[in-house]
């Protein structure tokens, strides 16, 4: 790294905050799109504004932006003139000191370092403007920066193509399973009946305590370490129960007696990710459900739990659940909505055959998904390794050069 200069980011780049908006200022149509953190890396759910602002509050094609909260990292903007939100910085560069694409790649590399600094598993990554301006980087001369960018561009073109193709394979594997799942329930077979879910259940409850939320708080305390039982939350299903489960003591477990789960039950989110369906696995100790989850136990003389799970995960189940969600900003689902779901019920022997076929295909789908995810992770690690070399002087170091 001979002749490379160590500088503060703030010495070569001004970070300009966007504008914070009141809800009433965000319109469903208007003159300018409002670029928020939520759609920084996508084009979904845009709001608009008719406000005429200072030029510093707009960004346009070619601007180097940085989202510093939630969705985290840099992007060279290509979406035309927009107003950008407070949680995004626009960069004003000293182009005599730093090449824009070089700094973009440095931001990408440094983003991973910031994530590591804030802790593995942290979901709400953010950094302050002052802290970012004080981060340091080594700068070679502009011609060397451009040389590094050219080498990285060539390497990343192949890596990004491989990542994109693998992501398509990942999506195709899931779509194939979902297509087969939906085909199973596309029409009634011989002996199939349509029944209300309420008539197929032995239990439907979200019961937790003989009183208010305050009583619940006094009797139930989540433990990070060991305890008598697990408290199962909706996030635990999303995390595949790996290193996320919380514990409760025996008193709390008995207090929550009507929300005990043993494995094989259907769980439905009541609020938040409302209507999301889970199948409770068997776990190595007693379990109780957290608040805002419905517990369903099927009448096994009529319907298998895993058959019901697959039906509710199909298009025919999801559409019905969606139609029964209540609320505008915060969606919820009620017991009467769950009971009213129309379920296609074949004979038990056919349910068993359907479940076996779907289990086999799901297992193979998950195997392929794991392979594709591992490949994507390896490609991203390779990209980060190249960036590491770029900003430590190794990418363009000739043999024999020190």
């Amino acid at each position: 790294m001979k002749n490379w200069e160590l500088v503060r980011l703030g010495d070569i780049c001004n970070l300009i905050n966007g504008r914070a908006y009141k809800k009433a200022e965000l319109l469903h149509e208007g003159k300018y799109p409002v670029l928020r953190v939520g759609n920084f890396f996508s084009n979904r759910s845009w709001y608009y504004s008719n406000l005429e602002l200072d030029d510093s509050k707009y960004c346009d094609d070619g601007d180097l932006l940085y989202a510093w909260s939630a969705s985290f990292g840099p992007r060279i903007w290509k979406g035309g003139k927009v107003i950008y939100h407070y949680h995004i910085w626009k960069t004003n560069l000293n182009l005599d000191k730093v090449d824009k694409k070089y700094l973009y790649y440095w931001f990408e590399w440094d983003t991973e370092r910031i994530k590591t600094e804030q802790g593995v598993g942290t979901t709400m990554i953010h950094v302050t403007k002052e802290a970012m301006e004080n981060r340091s980087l080594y700068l070679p001369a502009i011609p060397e920066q451009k040389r590094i960018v050219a080498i990285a561009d060539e390497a990343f073109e192949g890596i990004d193509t491989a990542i994109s193709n693998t992501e398509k394979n990942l999506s195709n594997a899931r779509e194939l399973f979902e297509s087969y799942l939906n085909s199973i329930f596309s029409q009634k077979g011989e002996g199939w009946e349509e029944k209300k879910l309420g008539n197929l259940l032995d239990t439907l409850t979200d019961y937790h305590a003989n009183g208010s939320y305050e009583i619940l708080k006094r009797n139930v305390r989540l433990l990070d370490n060991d305890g008598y039982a697990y408290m199962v939350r909706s996030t635990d299903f999303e995390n595949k129960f790996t290193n996320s489960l919380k514990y409760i003591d025996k008193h709390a477990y008995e207090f929550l007696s009507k929300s005990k789960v043993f494995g094989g039950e259907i769980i439905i989110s009541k609020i938040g990710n409302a209507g999301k369906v889970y199948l409770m696995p068997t776990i190595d100790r007693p379990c109780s459900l957290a608040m805002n989850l419905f517990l369903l136990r099927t009448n096994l003389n009529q319907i298998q739990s895993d058959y019901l799970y697959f039906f509710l995960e199909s298009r025919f189940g999801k559409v019905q659940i969606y139609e029964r969600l209540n609320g505008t900003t915060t969606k919820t689902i009620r017991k009467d909505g769950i009971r009213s779901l129309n379920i296609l019920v074949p004979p038990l022997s056919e349910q068993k055959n359907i479940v076996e076929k779907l289990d086999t295909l799901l297992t193979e789908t998950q195997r392929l998904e794991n392979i594709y995810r591992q490949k994507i992770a390896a490609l991203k690690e390779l990209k980060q390794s190249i960036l590491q070399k770029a900003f430590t002087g190794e990418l363009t170091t000739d043999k024999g050069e020190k």
Side-chain angles (χ1 to χ4, degrees):
M1 299 178 70
K2 186 178 179 180
N3 299 324
W4 288 39
E5 180 184 3
L6 182 64
V7 300
R8 289 174 61 255
L9 179 66
D11 293 334
I12 60 167
C13 171
N14 294 325
L15 301 176
I16 307 169
N17 272 111
R19 184 179 183 275
Y21 289 86
K22 298 176 182 178
K23 187 174 180 180
E25 293 178 323
L26 296 172
L27 311 175
H28 291 292
E29 56 183 27
K31 185 174 181 180
Y32 302 108
V34 178
L35 176 63
R36 301 170 298 145
V37 171
N39 53 16
F40 188 67
F41 296 102
S42 70
N43 290 321
R44 297 187 297 272
S45 303
W46 281 89
Y47 283 104
Y48 297 83
S49 173
N50 291 321
L51 294 171
E52 298 294 339
L53 305 172
D54 183 82
D55 286 345
S56 66
K57 302 306 176 188
Y58 300 92
C59 64
D60 211 332
D61 289 343
D63 283 331
L64 175 55
L65 308 178
Y66 195 101
W68 55 268
S69 179
S71 297
F72 190 72
R75 183 175 181 183
I76 295 178
W77 185 243
K78 297 179 181 178
K81 186 175 182 179
V82 298
I83 300 172
Y84 64 103
H85 193 268
Y86 177 76
H87 287 142
I88 297 170
W89 293 316
K90 181 170 72 170
T91 61
N92 183 15
L93 310 181
N94 180 347
L95 295 176
D96 292 330
K97 284 279 192 179
V98 65
D99 176 82
K100 182 195 299 182
K101 192 67 174 290
Y102 179 90
L103 187 60
Y104 166 78
Y105 280 142
W106 180 85
F107 275 141
E108 278 206 327
W109 176 62
D110 190 58
T111 293
E112 295 304 314
R113 294 196 301 167
I114 292 172
K115 290 178 181 178
T116 300
E117 290 167 6
Q118 298 205 10
V120 177
T122 303
T123 55
M124 294 299 290
I125 301 290
H126 71 278
V127 63
T128 66
K129 185 171 181 285
E130 180 182 8
M132 188 56 124
E133 288 172 339
N134 283 324
R135 296 186 77 81
S136 58
L137 66 152
Y138 282 97
L139 282 183
I142 290 290
E144 181 70 356
Q145 292 180 38
K146 291 184 179 295
R147 183 182 174 205
I148 289 170
V149 166
I151 294 171
D153 279 346
E154 184 177 0
F156 293 162
E157 181 179 1
I159 292 173
D160 290 341
T161 298
I163 289 174
S164 177
N165 290 338
T166 307
E167 287 175 338
K168 288 177 183 176
N169 289 337
L170 179 62
S171 176
N172 289 340
R174 173 53 57 175
E175 287 177 4
L176 177 63
F177 173 77
E178 291 179 351
S179 175
Y180 181 72
L181 174 66
N182 292 329
S183 71
I184 294 287
F185 307 110
S186 61
Q187 56 186 351
K188 287 184 180 181
E190 185 177 350
W192 291 41
E193 299 181 77
E194 186 173 304
K195 297 184 178 182
K196 298 294 183 185
L197 180 54
N199 296 325
L200 300 170
L201 299 176
D202 285 338
T203 302
L204 170 56
T205 181
D206 59 344
Y207 184 93
H208 284 279
N210 295 322
S212 68
Y213 178 61
E214 292 301 319
I215 295 175
L216 185 66
K217 285 202 302 183
R218 286 198 300 270
N219 286 274
V220 178
R221 185 166 62 92
L222 294 182
L223 309 172
D224 289 324
N225 299 313
D226 202 8
Y228 176 78
Y230 291 124
M231 173 67 84
V232 178
R233 303 155 299 165
S234 58
T235 51
D236 297 317
F237 290 99
E238 304 294 342
N239 293 328
K240 310 297 184 185
F241 299 92
T242 55
N243 303 319
S244 67
L245 287 163
K246 297 288 187 180
Y247 302 88
I248 54 177
D249 60 25
K250 188 171 184 178
H251 165 76
Y253 178 69
E254 295 301 331
F255 183 78
L256 300 172
S257 60
K258 291 193 176 180
S259 65
K260 294 178 182 178
V261 286
F262 306 99
E265 298 94 344
I266 300 293
I267 311 297
I268 298 181
S269 290
K270 178 180 179 182
I271 195 170
N273 195 5
K276 178 65 179 173
V277 180
Y278 308 103
L279 183 63
M280 182 67 197
T282 300
I283 301 183
D284 61 355
R285 70 176 67 199
C287 300
S288 185
L289 286 184
M291 296 183 68
N292 299 325
L293 292 173
F294 286 114
L295 167 64
L296 288 71
R297 289 194 180 94
T298 62
N299 181 329
L300 296 178
N301 292 322
Q302 297 190 72
I303 190 169
Q304 292 185 217
S305 292
D306 38 11
Y307 171 84
L308 176 59
Y309 168 75
F310 281 127
F311 180 87
L312 294 177
E313 280 289 276
S314 74
R315 181 176 69 248
F316 307 97
K318 286 181 176 179
V319 167
Q320 291 188 66
I321 290 172
Y322 179 80
E323 292 172 346
R324 287 158 175 77
L325 295 181
N326 303 289
T328 52
T329 56
T330 301
K331 297 291 185 181
T332 63
I333 190 166
R334 295 195 295 259
K335 285 183 181 178
D336 57 356
I338 293 174
R339 290 193 183 100
S340 69
L341 293 170
N342 297 308
I343 311 298
L344 288 178
V345 185
L348 286 171
S349 59
E350 191 165 352
Q351 291 180 37
K352 182 179 179 181
N353 291 334
I354 289 171
V355 168
E356 287 178 352
K357 291 177 182 178
L358 288 171
D359 275 339
T360 299
L361 182 57
L362 181 58
T363 298
E364 178 62 15
T365 300
Q366 291 171 339
R367 186 188 70 82
L368 291 173
E369 287 177 335
N370 287 335
I371 291 172
Y372 296 142
R373 289 192 184 99
Q374 289 170 10
K375 183 176 180 180
I376 290 169
L379 289 165
K380 289 181 177 178
E381 285 179 12
L382 175 60
K383 192 171 184 178
Q384 192 66 12
S385 174
I386 293 171
L387 291 173
Q388 170 77 16
K389 290 180 179 180
F391 300 112
T392 55
E394 297 178 52
L395 194 61
T396 54
T397 300
D398 296 326
K399 289 184 178 180
E401 183 180 336
K402 295 182 179 179

